[in-house]
Each structure stands twice: as structure tokens, then as C-alpha cells.
Amino acid sequence: MKVLVINSGSSSLKYQLYDMTDESVLAKGLVERIGMDSSILNHKPTGKEEVTEVSEILEHNTAIRKVLDMLTDPEHGVIESIGEIQAVGHRVVHGGEAFNGSVLVTGDVKSEIRRLFDLAPLHNPPAVMGITAAEKNMPGVPQVVAFDTAFHQTMEEKVYLYPIPKVLYKKHHVRRYGAHGTSHEYVSKTAAEYLDRPIEDLKIITCHIGNGGSLTAVKGGKSYDTSMGLTPLEGLMMGTRSGDLDPAVVTFVMNKEELSISEVNSMLNKHSGLLAISGSSSDMRDITDGMEAGEPNETLAFEMYEYRLRKYIGSYAAAMDGVDVIVFTAGIGENSAIVREKVCQNLTYLGVEIDKELNKVRSGDPRRISTPNSKVEVLVIPTNEELVIARDTHRIVLENK
Ligand SMILES: Nc1ncnc2c1ncn2[C@@H]1O[C@H](COP(=O)(O)OP(=O)(O)O)[C@@H](O)[C@H]1O
Ligand SMILES: CC(=O)OP(=O)(O)O
Ligand SMILES: [Mg+2]
């Protein structure tokens, strides 16, 4: 079965086409700057040369059409016709309390994802645009959705409730949900396999740090606690998101600056984090370059990022009464040796010791960066959310045949 996996962002769309007979990737790519002038489609067909095309792509429907054209293109394509795609899997960030696993898309499922727009304003609306566009361009092809929140549905009440009036949970489902669950589940399982130890016996802290970032305390293979909350704004400092702050900051600033709800939301989601403190960029590569050049703003941004991340690791070691494994993953976790080094350098009280040379090795494979003496295994595990979504899609479509 050939499965197309789609991860729709507000102005981007990432895709991968899998052949599930051997889980090989036939092609992958990214459409960026949807809705802006000069959108970019970068297409990487396996075994052929990659292509980049600049054109005007105003919405997700056009983006999907362009992707399908590229997949079937005589020169750059990897399939003869669209009819070869037998299923589509989509990433959806927020599934609320309704979903603890992936499901086939129905009208009810789409309504539920729409109902949750408020809770993931950056992520759920583009996901529905992606689903609708795929339905339009591939009528009759089954669609499956995989939720970032699903893995975290195992959190206990004491972990997921906020200490605010309970009526808000009853009326509006205000609670912690988490995100990046597909990734946290995948890297924690891969870590146990890599170490050849049963996951049931392990306390693992998974650090998914990319543009968005979250940590999960994975106890016995289940999500015990995670740093994102009602929305993907809680927790770590991120590229453009603030992460944790005193909730009074919100009302105080709204009052002083006369900001509306949408303005304050935009400030905290799009104009905070690394971008706000450095004043230059949300990209960790620029931040570390600036720090190495002695720029004070980039240095402060890095120090705040590292400090907040390290505090979360400490708190999850406390939450689980110990930690056996720390996993780094996603764009920053997989690629930034300096972030890993600085975080681990100050975890001596947990018995963490990393090998600085091993830490610098670049590889696309799971690897250990801790020393044999370290009391905690420290691993770098490349995440693969798309593969998990492709597997779920394949399984669910076969079950529903
Ligand atoms: N070589 C690198 N060194 C440091 N940071 C990197 C490197 N490569 C990528 N990144 C960081 O990874 C981030 C993107 O991570 P990714 O997991 O792809 O995010 P998302 O899925 O949210 O788009 C970028 O913002 C960048 O800061
Ligand atoms: C939920 C979330 O933050 O996703 P991303 O990292 O893709 O922005
Ligand atoms: Mg991501």
C-alpha cells in the first residue's frame, strides 16, 4: 500500500510518500510560504535529483495539487498516477479528550477537530485545510488522522488538571493535553530497543526540541507528564513562543499596553521566545552563531533557553523519582551539540556524564552520547513522526476494509 503522509502548518505543508510493503520513502518534500508571494516547493524523490520550484500557492488546496503533480511528474515523479496512493495520513496537533489514538476521518472527526481550533490556533486550522484539500484532490481515498495529544491521554488527573475552579474543566475542558506525542512515543520506544531493555522498567525523559519544543516524562512506556498544556504554549522557551510565565503577566500587559486577546495571543505565540530575547532570529543556528561571535543578546537567549530546559529535566526526574534515560530529538535535539553539552554539563547531581567527542558526532542513526560511567544513559534519537503516521494509517485502513 502506498501512503501519503501530510503535516500541514499554517504556511507550510510537509509530505512523505511511503511504500508500506517495505516502509521505504518514495519521495518527500516541503511547500513553504503558502499564501505569501513566491511560495517554494522543494521535492526530494528517492534516487532522483531534488527539485525546487517557486510559484504562487495561495492556499493548501493548491499546495496539495502541486505536490500530486510533482509525485506523478514524468521527470521528477515516483508514481504513474494519483490512483496509486491508497491512503492519506495527516498530523493533527490537538485531539482534546476525544482521541487516544489515530482514527479514520469522518464528518464527526472533522467537526471535533474544528471544535478544538481555539486550543491549537497555529496548528488545527491548517490541518483541516490539509484534510479538505486531500479529500478534494483524491476523492474516495481513505484519510486517517494521528493526534499529537493521543499519547498523553494516559496522564493522571493530578497531573493534567490546573489548580483553578473545577467548573472550567467541566464546562470548557480546560486541562493539560500536551503535544508532540507521536514523537515522544516513537523515540522512547526506540530508546528502549536501542538499549535492549524492556520499556516497562524504564524512566525516560524525552526532549523533543525543534521550533516548538516539549519534554515528556515517560514512565514504563506511558506518558506520565509533559510540558505542553491546554495549548502548545506552556512549558519550554521555544523559537517564537514564551513557554511558562506567571499568568498575571498576560493580564498585566494587556492592561498596560491595551492589547486585545488576539494581540496578546500573537505576542506570546509568534513574537516571544528566542526571537524576542535575541531580537534577531528564532532559529537556534543563528542564536549559537551569534553567541560564538560574542553577541550579548544571542548569548542571553541561549542561556535562558538552556536554563529553562535543564530545570524541566530536573523536575521530571523528581516527578518520576529518578531517570534512567534522557533522549534528545527534533531539529535542535538532533543537531545542536552545544545545547546538549550545556544542558548535560549541569546535571551532575543526577550522575549525568557525556562524552564531548561522541556528542559532536553527526549521524542520522540513534546513538549514545553518555560515558560508560554515567548513571543516566543519554541518547540522541532522530524522530520520525511521519513513519508512525504512515504505520497507523496503513493499519487502520486495512482494519476498515
Ligand atoms: N544544525 C543545527 N544546529 C542547531 N539547530 C538546528 C540545526 N538544524 C536545525 N536546527 C533547529 O531546529 C529547528 C527546527 O526543528 P524542527 O524539529 O524541524 O521543527 P518544526 O518541526 O517545529 O518545524 C530550527 O528552528 C533550528 O533552530
Ligand atoms: C505542537 C507543536 O508545537 O508543533 P510544532 O513543533 O510542529 O510547531
Ligand atoms: Mg515538528
Side-chain angles (χ1 to χ4, degrees), residues 325-353:
V325 189
I326 297 173
V327 177
F328 288 98
T329 194
I332 298 172
E334 290 167 32
N335 298 302
S336 180
I338 182 93
V339 168
R340 296 191 301 257
E341 184 187 317
K342 294 291 176 196
V343 167
C344 292
Q345 167 177 308
N346 290 301
L347 293 174
T348 50
Y349 70 101
L350 290 176
V352 171
E353 191 179 284

Side-chain angles (χ1 to χ4, degrees), residues 3-7 14-18 88-90 386 389-390:
V3 175
L4 178 64
V5 176
I6 294 176
N7 181 351
K14 292 184 197 165
Y15 62 94
Q16 288 200 22
L17 181 65
Y18 282 90
V88 184
H90 299 264
E386 290 78 12
I389 297 171

Side-chain angles (χ1 to χ4, degrees), residues 7 14 91 93 122-123 148 179-180 208 210-213 228 232 238 241 385:
N7 181 351
K14 292 184 197 165
R91 174 196 183 203
V93 165
L122 295 184
H123 297 94
D148 266 40
H180 298 133
H208 174 109
N211 190 29
M228 282 181 171
M238 303 174 221
R241 286 171 247 173
E385 292 158 288

Side-chain angles (χ1 to χ4, degrees), residues 191-220:
E193 278 162 24
Y194 177 86
L195 297 168
D196 199 17
R197 290 175 65 182
I199 198 163
E200 293 73 22
D201 297 347
L202 292 174
K203 294 169 182 171
I204 309 177
I205 297 176
T206 48
C207 311
H208 174 109
I209 42 178
N211 190 29
S214 66
L215 254 69
T216 298
V218 183
K219 198 174 171 188

Side-chain angles (χ1 to χ4, degrees), residues 6 8 13 59-65 68 90 126-139 143:
I6 294 176
S8 305
L13 187 147
E59 20 84 58
H60 286 69
N61 195 36
T62 319
I64 296 242
R65 236 185 26 241
L68 295 175
H90 299 264
V128 169
M129 288 192 265
I131 297 166
T132 311
E135 284 173 339
K136 226 176 181 172
N137 289 282
M138 288 174 273
Q143 319 257 339

